[in-house]
Amino acid sequence: MNQQEALFNYLLRLGDTAVIHGHRLSEWCSRGPILEEDLALTNTALDYIGRAEALLKYAADMEGKGRTEDDIVYKRGERHYYNALLVELPRGDYADTVARQLLLSVAEFHLFSALCNSSDTTLAGIAAKSVKEIRYHLSHAKDWCLRFGLGTAESKEKLQAAFNHLWMFTGELFEQLPSDNLLSQAGILPDLSNLKSLWTAMVNDVLTQCSITIPQDGYMQTGGMSKAIHTEHLGHLLSEMQYLQRAYPEATW
Amino acid sequence: MTQDSQLDLWEVFIQSKAGSHHVHAGSVHASDRQMALHNARDIYTRRNEGSSIWVVPANHITASTAEEADMLFDPANDKIYRHPTFYVMPEGAKQI
């Protein structure tokens, strides 16, 4: 694998995670608990889809096979998707949704802050734009974790259950693949060795404030970003997200 | 007033650019200041409308009533001398 292929693969991992998470959030559209939250989540969903568009357009250019970002999103099956497993899990209830957003946003905050220093100016530019969005997502997710954690016995129980359930999918967020070394050597990927410790410190801090018990690190499920092997949920998600292209190939309007 | 099931009501004022007035944009529901600011941001500044937001609890606003309108505003109807229309604008002045 050369550097160009390594970067293509890395961009797919970032872009796929963004588009799948954006789609999961968009499922809340018209189902939010109150109108204000409905809009907040759809705004966030659009941030992710915008980020995915930028990353996957760059990936398509990098690949140089004439594909567009839409081809990449709408014409691949689940065995060609490299998103983190965390984001393909069903959206669950509102506690599941904000817990997942917190775990993801903390990782993204540190990752994209680091990527702002990438020697690849396109990637650094996308990262700089994303960090502003991520800071807001993080603030919104933390706010709701605090409300649930310090709210009623039932809201706390649901939030705790959400963190317990999602925890085994967080290890994948820090996975480095052998091909990433090529990118590190070229300065495209900054040093990310402290990503996990930064994440742990921030997540532990928020969970403690929410009076949530920090789950123990145990078995970590991986395979989405490294091998495109997914949970049973991604295929269903794609069949809905790609419905139009599957039913009416090359449809335009 | 009937009980609102969707949290407290806050009025939202948006400043479109630095130096201009905060203008009333609408209202949001929220349980505290922080949530009110977040909700106002999500609802009223999605299309680049804002550079600053004020949120005010709706029950902190004192409003005049329709019954008072004639007492409060009608007396100003026939006092055209209060408008600065009897001055000659200096040449070249765009606004005073």
Side-chain angles (χ1 to χ4, degrees):
Chain A
M1 191 181 280
N2 62 29
Q3 183 183 307
Q4 192 179 339
E5 289 162 341
L7 181 55
F8 174 70
N9 180 270
Y10 190 77
L11 292 169
L12 277 191
R13 273 181 273 157
L14 291 182
D16 288 353
T17 297
V19 76
I20 299 300
H21 187 62
H23 186 81
R24 276 289 183 232
L25 287 176
S26 76
E27 292 175 356
W28 278 103
C29 187
S30 82
R31 291 173 172 76
I34 55 174
L35 180 145
E36 286 82 351
E37 275 306 300
D38 201 292
L39 264 172
L41 282 187
T42 37
N43 282 349
T44 306
L46 286 174
D47 287 346
Y48 274 95
I49 290 166
R51 191 198 304 170
E53 188 179 19
L55 288 164
L56 295 175
K57 181 177 193 313
Y58 187 38
D61 293 347
M62 180 79 33
E63 185 188 39
K65 291 183 182 168
R67 288 205 287 180
T68 67
E69 62 275 25
D70 284 341
D71 295 331
I72 289 180
V73 168
Y74 293 113
K75 297 178 185 173
R76 279 183 306 161
E78 64 265 37
R79 286 307 315 279
H80 299 279
Y81 258 86
Y82 291 91
N83 58 283
L85 299 173
L86 176 70
V87 301
E88 71 194 45
L89 302 173
R91 71 178 188 274
D93 62 19
Y94 216 66
D96 293 313
T97 292
V98 298
R100 167 158 63 188
Q101 190 64 56
L102 182 86
L103 297 170
L104 182 65
S105 288
V106 173
E108 287 178 341
F109 175 69
H110 292 298
L111 173 62
F112 283 82
S113 296
L115 288 177
C116 290
N117 301 317
S118 170
S119 64
D120 183 305
T121 51
T122 305
L123 185 56
I126 295 170
K129 179 170 182 284
S130 299
V131 165
K132 292 181 192 171
E133 298 170 347
I134 292 164
R135 281 173 53 210
Y136 186 76
H137 305 159
L138 186 53
S139 161
H140 181 258
K142 182 182 168 184
D143 229 46
W144 277 101
C145 285
L146 283 168
R147 288 173 204 286
F148 287 150
L150 307 177
T152 65
E154 186 186 357
S155 70
K156 183 181 171 181
E157 189 185 320
K158 288 191 170 180
L159 188 65
Q160 181 73 60
F163 279 114
N164 292 350
H165 168 61
L166 296 171
W167 203 256
M168 69 183 287
F169 296 98
T170 57
E172 190 176 26
L173 301 175
F174 313 104
E175 199 176 34
Q176 294 250 37
L177 301 188
S179 62
D180 293 345
N181 289 332
L182 284 174
L183 303 177
S184 305
Q185 285 157 15
I188 295 172
L189 283 192
D191 179 21
L192 298 172
S193 56
N194 61 350
L195 196 59
K196 174 75 195 285
S197 58
L198 289 170
W199 180 87
T200 302
M202 195 186 263
V203 167
N204 287 1
D205 179 45
V206 176
L207 264 54
T208 306
Q209 287 179 49
C210 301
S211 89
I212 290 292
T213 307
I214 298 156
Q216 293 284 316
D217 274 359
Y219 172 72
M220 290 291 177
Q221 181 66 55
T222 59
M225 298 176 97
S226 55
K227 303 190 191 79
I229 296 175
H230 292 276
T231 68
E232 66 270 37
H233 306 294
L234 184 64
H236 294 286
L237 183 154
L238 291 183
S239 68
E240 188 171 309
M241 187 173 88
Q242 298 174 336
Y243 167 77
L244 195 82
Q245 273 305 315
R246 295 186 187 195
Y248 305 96
E250 312 303 329
T252 54
W253 62 89
Chain B
M1 195 174 151
T2 53
Q3 184 65 37
D4 193 324
S5 64
Q6 295 202 47
L7 310 175
D8 298 331
L9 195 63
W10 296 67
E11 297 301 328
V12 179
F13 300 83
I14 304 285
Q15 184 191 43
S16 56
K17 58 178 191 290
S20 61
H21 300 289
H22 284 71
V23 176
H24 185 237
S27 51
V28 293
H29 293 100
S31 57
D32 60 34
R33 299 154 185 257
Q34 177 68 14
M35 192 194 286
L37 263 185
H38 275 182
N39 290 349
R41 179 266 189 191
D42 279 322
I43 293 174
Y44 295 109
T45 65
R46 303 176 75 224
R47 299 177 187 86
N48 226 4
E49 296 95 333
S51 63
S52 165
I53 304 172
W54 287 349
V55 286
V56 182
N59 62 11
H60 282 214
I61 290 177
T62 307
S64 64
T65 63
E67 290 79 55
E68 295 172 305
D70 52 358
M71 169 187 85
L72 292 174
F73 309 120
D74 287 357
N77 275 351
D78 57 354
K79 300 191 171 59
I80 55 168
Y81 49 85
R82 289 180 182 171
H83 292 277
T85 50
F86 301 98
Y87 300 92
V88 180
M89 284 278 280
E91 207 173 321
K94 291 199 171 59
Q95 55 187 25
I96 309 184

